[in-house]
Amino acid sequence: MKQNIIIVDFGSQVTKLIARRIRDFGVFSQIIPFNRIEKKLFTETTLGIILSGGPKSVTTRDAPKIPNFIYDLEIPILGICYGLQLICKDFGGKVSFSKFREFGKTKIKIKKFSLLTDNTYLKNEKYNVWMSHSDKVENLPKNFQIVASSKDCNASIIQNVKRKIYGVQFHPEVVH
């Protein structure tokens, strides 16, 4: 069987680009809408899950969600933008509307070592990334750590190493 990454789509304009980037690494990726997630989609060949970005706010009553079993699969999870905010909300962190919307090229600074950034970003260095968000994480959930921040976003990269859950507030799939 072919190994794969499942991308949970929350309506981001660049979800297909995420899939393309994964496929560039020679790994099959499958995009599934957030409201069509079923346990049977996740098999022994599923290497990880990516939670995409999206236009909604996790703070609204009708915010898209995922089933809780996703977090208990014991496979790596990466939340991108909305995905990071959803992870924080689901684990008891606080997400709120930001007075300042980060959009476009932004510099992040790596503060801590992470398997997610190893061989890509060096500690104490700054890197250009593509941000597009209007919500921000005010308080991280218990057992999560900040890996990187930007001028206006304290939690640009987060991690919970024990649970293999990571999040980036920016869009790594966008390289321009």
Side-chain angles (χ1 to χ4, degrees):
M1 290 187 113
K2 190 181 265 190
Q3 294 180 321
N4 69 332
I5 298 284
I6 292 183
I7 302 166
V8 179
D9 183 18
F10 292 105
S12 171
Q13 295 176 336
V14 290
T15 298
K16 289 181 180 175
L17 186 55
I18 296 169
R20 170 59 196 230
R21 298 287 183 237
I22 298 299
R23 291 174 186 155
D24 285 347
F25 287 108
V27 177
F28 178 72
S29 61
Q30 183 178 9
I31 299 172
I32 307 292
F34 72 92
N35 57 352
R36 304 226 190 233
I37 298 297
E38 300 176 30
K39 236 179 198 173
K40 68 181 181 182
L41 294 169
F42 302 91
T43 67
E44 67 277 352
T45 63
T46 305
L47 298 174
I49 302 164
I50 296 176
L51 307 176
S52 83
K56 292 274 196 175
S57 169
V58 298
T59 63
T60 62
R61 192 172 39 185
D62 65 340
K65 299 175 175 115
I66 56 171
N68 285 334
F69 77 81
I70 294 285
Y71 296 120
D72 296 326
L73 293 172
E74 297 183 2
I75 57 177
I77 297 173
L78 172 64
I80 297 175
C81 198
Y82 180 91
L84 172 144
Q85 296 163 7
L86 182 62
I87 288 167
C88 286
K89 183 179 178 198
D90 286 349
F91 281 89
K94 183 176 180 188
V95 179
S96 65
F97 184 75
S98 177
K99 292 178 183 176
F100 180 78
R101 176 183 162 98
E102 270 188 316
F103 181 79
K105 200 179 282 187
T106 304
K107 284 200 180 299
I108 62 167
K109 182 175 182 181
I110 306 301
K111 297 178 167 191
K112 180 178 197 59
F113 172 81
S114 174
L115 288 174
L116 182 66
T117 60
D118 192 26
N119 296 320
T120 305
Y121 298 137
L122 301 173
K123 187 176 175 189
N124 297 321
E125 295 293 324
K126 292 184 178 181
Y127 298 91
N128 284 321
V129 296
W130 184 263
M131 292 276 196
S132 177
H133 66 97
S134 43
D135 282 351
K136 68 176 182 178
V137 175
E138 283 192 41
N139 295 324
L140 276 183
K142 185 179 179 182
N143 299 318
F144 279 79
Q145 304 164 323
I146 292 174
V147 173
S149 61
S150 71
K151 178 181 158 221
D152 296 303
C153 178
N154 191 40
S156 295
I157 302 176
I158 65 167
Q159 66 182 7
N160 179 323
V161 175
K162 185 175 181 180
R163 295 199 64 163
K164 298 183 274 191
I165 299 175
Y166 301 86
V168 294
Q169 186 59 68
F170 55 92
H171 290 272
E173 70 278 15
V174 176
V175 293
H176 70 283

